[in-house]
Amino acid sequence: MAFIKTTEENSKYNHLERMTVQELLNNINKEDKTVPNAVEKAIPQIEKLVQQIVQKLKEGGRLFYIGAGTSGRLGVVDASECPPTFGVSYDVVIGLIAGGDKAIRQAVENAEDSTTQGWEDLKQNNISNKDVVIGIAASGTTPYVISALKQCNDNNIITGCITSNKNSPLSLVSKYPIEVVVGPEFVTGSSRMKAGTAQKLVLNMISTTAMIQLGKIKGNKMIDMQLSNDKLVNRGVQMLMSELKVARTEAESLLKRYKNVRNAINHYKNEN
């Protein structure tokens, strides 16, 4: 099957500059509504990759996201949210972006075109065959990402990808490709829109499912979350009150003593 870059095809809408604000918003929303359906079709692919991730993480491995531009930023966001949400170390899920941390806020010229830097960035993090690397690229043609995954394959490292084009070069180099075909963007070629939304949804699914499988959630609560602000402390207190059937003052005392919801629950149950 020939590779067709649907992310670069002409928008189904024209003369955007003539539309009212309401028309623009309604049409963008109309397109956005199609994204979850495209993600749903990719669930079998997502499942295969997540199963590999869970196994490697249970064995002490790590999960890497690697991308450029919007794709790289979304990977960095998902990785950075895992420690406060699930209480894992910052070196369990790692996001790498072409051009380094500066590229999170500013475009770094030609960074995504390098065919060597992706692997160098992984090597700086001591990548090994205990780990899993997911390349993220809406187009599926980003050299920085593709070349990194090729090197991973050569070193027996599990590779996956998230892309919005079928049969892209990135899909073909990934052992576990995820293809979420969202079609042409509202603004032609602006893959920060539907393709970016699809990437965010898939990343949510991957990290959340993996962490639940690793036991980081009890019932439906984030009992390993980091208590980094008043809102989260209050949430932790509410969890303890609900789980242990104790008064607020006792829940607050337990949380203050043990610094973590899971620890507080375990110690309370062991002592009572």
Side-chain angles (χ1 to χ4, degrees):
M1 186 175 178
F3 171 50
I4 300 172
K5 200 184 287 192
T6 58
T7 53
E8 293 292 331
E9 288 184 346
N10 245 348
S11 171
K12 292 182 280 187
Y13 305 81
N14 204 354
H15 305 301
L16 306 188
E17 72 280 5
R18 300 179 191 174
M19 293 183 184
T20 65
V21 169
Q22 184 181 49
E23 288 171 333
L24 288 166
L25 296 175
N26 284 335
N27 287 329
I28 291 170
N29 181 244
K30 182 179 177 182
E31 287 301 302
D32 286 345
K33 287 177 181 177
T34 68
V35 177
N37 290 333
V39 172
E40 182 180 12
K41 292 175 183 175
I43 286 177
Q45 292 180 323
I46 301 170
E47 180 184 7
K48 289 177 182 177
L49 179 54
V50 171
Q51 287 173 338
Q52 296 296 319
I53 293 167
V54 170
Q55 187 60 42
K56 287 295 185 181
L57 291 180
K58 284 181 175 178
E59 295 171 356
R62 299 166 296 169
L63 171 60
F64 285 84
Y65 301 132
I66 186 166
T70 297
S71 300
R73 294 182 190 105
L74 288 168
V76 170
V77 166
D78 193 78
S80 66
E81 290 173 346
C82 286
T85 305
F86 303 109
V88 296
S89 168
Y90 278 92
D91 62 0
V92 172
V93 184
I94 299 169
L96 299 176
I97 181 170
D101 285 353
K102 177 185 176 183
I104 296 172
R105 292 176 178 82
Q106 298 176 344
V108 176
E109 190 174 357
N110 298 326
E112 70 175 57
D113 297 327
S114 173
T115 57
T116 57
Q117 191 59 48
W119 179 242
E120 289 301 318
D121 289 346
L122 287 168
K123 285 199 298 182
Q124 286 175 17
N125 285 272
N126 300 313
I127 191 77
S128 77
N129 59 12
K130 295 179 180 178
D131 305 320
V132 178
V133 179
I134 300 178
I136 313 172
S139 67
T141 58
T142 307
Y144 171 82
V145 179
I146 294 170
S147 59
L149 263 59
K150 284 180 178 177
Q151 289 286 345
C152 288
N153 289 337
D154 291 344
N155 286 273
N156 198 31
I157 298 166
I158 291 174
T159 54
C161 75
I162 306 170
T163 181
S164 287
N165 285 315
K166 204 86 172 169
N167 300 313
S168 70
L170 180 59
S171 295
L172 298 178
V173 81
S174 301
K175 294 176 184 174
Y176 296 92
I178 297 170
E179 298 171 320
V180 185
V181 183
V182 294
E185 297 286 2
F186 179 71
V187 175
T188 298
S190 182
S191 55
R192 58 179 285 272
M193 300 186 77
K194 288 192 299 181
T197 300
Q199 290 170 349
K200 173 60 175 166
L201 291 175
V202 173
L203 288 165
N204 284 349
M205 295 167 79
I206 289 172
S207 57
T208 303
T209 302
M211 293 299 161
I212 292 171
Q213 290 285 300
L214 291 171
K216 296 298 180 181
I217 300 293
K218 180 175 175 60
N220 56 22
K221 302 294 194 300
M222 298 180 287
I223 63 169
D224 286 318
M225 66 181 180
Q226 294 177 356
L227 305 174
S228 56
N229 58 48
D230 289 343
K231 178 189 75 173
L232 297 180
V233 170
N234 184 62
R235 184 185 296 165
V237 169
Q238 295 290 339
M239 288 183 196
L240 292 177
M241 291 170 63
S242 175
E243 177 70 20
L244 302 177
K245 309 297 187 236
V246 297
R248 183 176 187 88
T249 52
E250 185 168 7
E252 288 173 341
S253 177
L254 286 166
L255 200 58
K256 188 174 182 179
R257 189 185 318 163
Y258 296 112
K259 313 295 185 187
N260 172 274
V261 176
R262 182 191 293 275
N263 290 342
I265 291 172
N266 290 341
H267 280 88
Y268 181 88
K269 289 185 173 180
N270 287 336
E271 294 168 1
N272 291 274

